[in-house]
Amino acid sequence: MEFKHVSVLFSESIKNLNINPEGIYVDGTLGGGGHASGICERLNSKGTLIGIDRDKDALRAAAANLEKYNCKKIFVQNNYSDIKNILKEQNLSSIDGALLDLGVSSFQLDNGERGFSYMKDAPLDMRMNAEDTFTAETVVNTYSEEELTRIIRQYGEERWASRISQFIIKERKKSPITTTGQLVTTIKAAIPASARRDGPHPAKRTFQAIRIEVNDELGQLERAVDAFLDVLSDQGRLCIITFHSLEDRIVKERFNQRLNPCTCPKEFPICVCGKESDVKKVLRKPILPSEQELTLNPRARSAKLRIIEKKGEMR
């Protein structure tokens, strides 16, 4: 299957990376290489792209798609949150910029066999790295009712979380839930018909929640923000594209913590902890997709791009 993914906020993110043609840049969510192609296009033969993805198929597709560019390219199968070890393995201590596009790739959603989509019947999988052993089937069939309610409510922001969990427990007592189709039917049965008439597909939020749990997406993001900021060189930039409020909240909070690291109690008239920020904001508000982009790619609707820059001397 061909690896297709429409790169969201493409020109905005590439422009805001402020690319130095001889620099080292990381695409931590490589996918098929959409955003990476914009980076490679601006690098010369002395520049380097490091492409990271958990998905072997993505790395293979990106390597083929980026072959025409003459910059140095390094492809790594790993979690982007492990950036410090990835750089250490390459004998590198810093990078000039990085991009994280946190959306699930269209390829993964459209490839029914991967179990990410509630629109196609497939095994309950949802692993971004097919070599991992922990799957959506494990979550659905082994988590307690309390655990299921917690993740569906917290990660899916689903108001019917408790009822959906009850129905999942009841259903799996008859026989294990092993396919996306079975799970969708169970979720639909749990949500009252009046609530199913409006809004998104009734299974959307629960599928999102289970996918986040399977891939530890929020934990990975939380660890990654500081790790990337630590390895940025002077005036290097980190661009992060989020797709739902949970991701955006983490990015915003981590950025703010780094922008204001002072740990003094609020009642202190002056700072005595001596902690100073090593980063600065590039824009006051996140960049949102244009109407034109939304017409071409409705999946971009909830996307937000936030950018932060490492303080330092001009490169």
Side-chain angles (χ1 to χ4, degrees):
M1 184 174 177
E2 193 184 346
F3 204 111
K4 282 185 181 172
H5 179 61
V6 181
S7 299
V8 174
L9 291 163
F10 177 84
S11 58
E12 293 89 339
S13 52
I14 301 303
K15 178 188 166 194
N16 278 288
L17 272 175
N18 244 0
I19 292 171
N20 163 17
E22 297 185 3
I24 300 168
Y25 291 85
V26 173
D27 185 336
T29 48
L30 185 64
H35 284 110
S37 67
I39 296 171
C40 289
E41 209 167 16
R42 286 157 181 78
L43 294 175
N44 60 29
S45 57
K46 290 179 181 175
T48 302
L49 169 84
I50 300 172
I52 305 167
D53 208 287
R54 298 162 81 164
D55 191 328
K56 259 187 183 164
D57 291 339
L59 292 165
R60 208 175 292 122
N65 292 338
L66 301 173
E67 211 171 343
K68 59 187 175 188
Y69 300 105
N70 69 348
C71 61
K72 187 182 175 188
K73 294 175 285 284
I74 299 166
F75 299 107
V76 182
Q77 187 185 9
N78 201 334
N79 294 348
Y80 62 77
S81 59
D82 204 24
I83 184 62
K84 289 186 177 180
N85 284 326
I86 291 167
L87 293 183
K88 202 180 282 181
E89 282 163 14
Q90 302 298 329
N91 293 316
L92 295 169
S93 57
S94 64
I95 57 174
D96 297 298
L99 173 69
L100 301 175
D101 169 9
L102 303 176
V104 182
S105 75
S106 306
F107 172 80
Q108 288 172 332
L109 284 171
D110 297 340
N111 183 348
E113 293 165 27
R114 301 293 293 270
F116 284 100
S117 175
Y118 43 79
M119 304 300 281
K120 296 173 182 176
D121 193 21
L124 258 183
D125 191 331
M126 300 196 199
R127 292 170 296 173
M128 288 182 177
N129 179 356
E131 291 168 18
D132 289 342
T133 53
F134 186 55
T135 67
E137 188 179 334
T138 312
V139 172
V140 170
N141 291 288
T142 67
Y143 275 31
S144 67
E145 188 178 322
E146 293 73 23
E147 287 173 316
L148 284 171
T149 301
R150 177 186 63 79
I151 67 162
I152 295 168
R153 183 173 288 140
Q154 197 178 329
Y155 300 159
E157 300 179 295
E158 171 59 77
R159 61 181 287 223
W160 300 101
S162 179
R163 202 169 143 85
I164 291 167
S165 303
Q166 287 168 17
F167 274 63
I168 287 173
I169 301 289
K170 189 173 146 191
E171 199 57 39
R172 79 187 194 193
K173 276 179 183 168
K174 300 177 198 169
S175 64
I177 299 170
T178 59
T179 68
T180 53
Q182 282 176 278
L183 183 57
V184 169
T185 303
T186 306
I187 294 165
K188 279 183 175 174
I191 299 176
S194 57
R196 292 202 307 265
R197 282 192 203 107
D198 303 315
H201 190 285
K204 182 181 180 179
R205 293 187 179 97
T206 301
F207 267 63
Q208 172 184 297
I210 294 169
R211 189 202 79 221
I212 287 171
E213 176 72 8
V214 168
N215 298 288
D216 185 30
E217 290 176 40
L218 300 183
Q220 209 192 142
L221 176 59
E222 206 149 347
R223 292 187 293 275
V225 177
D226 279 313
F228 270 94
L229 291 177
D230 287 345
V231 298
L232 276 184
S233 57
D234 288 355
Q235 296 204 311
R237 287 185 174 184
L238 173 62
C239 297
I240 303 182
I241 301 169
T242 61
F243 284 83
H244 54 77
S245 59
L246 296 166
E247 291 172 340
D248 188 55
R249 199 176 306 143
I250 289 171
V251 174
K252 192 177 173 182
E253 282 172 5
R254 296 316 305 154
F255 279 10
N256 285 339
Q257 180 65 43
R258 198 78 174 218
L259 286 158
N260 183 19
C262 175
T263 53
C264 296
K266 285 190 173 70
E267 58 270 19
F268 277 29
I270 57 163
C271 171
V272 293
C273 73
K275 291 184 177 172
E276 290 182 22
S277 177
D278 61 347
V279 296
K280 65 178 184 181
K281 264 186 181 173
V282 174
L283 298 168
R284 205 166 56 82
K285 289 186 173 179
I287 296 174
L288 306 178
S290 64
E291 284 304 320
Q292 187 184 2
E293 177 166 8
L294 292 175
T295 307
L296 296 169
N297 182 16
R299 280 180 181 171
R301 185 157 301 282
S302 56
K304 286 181 179 178
L305 168 64
R306 292 188 186 271
I307 309 137
I308 199 162
E309 183 180 301
K310 195 80 171 269
K311 284 180 181 174
E313 301 300 314
M314 285 291 286
R315 287 179 297 199

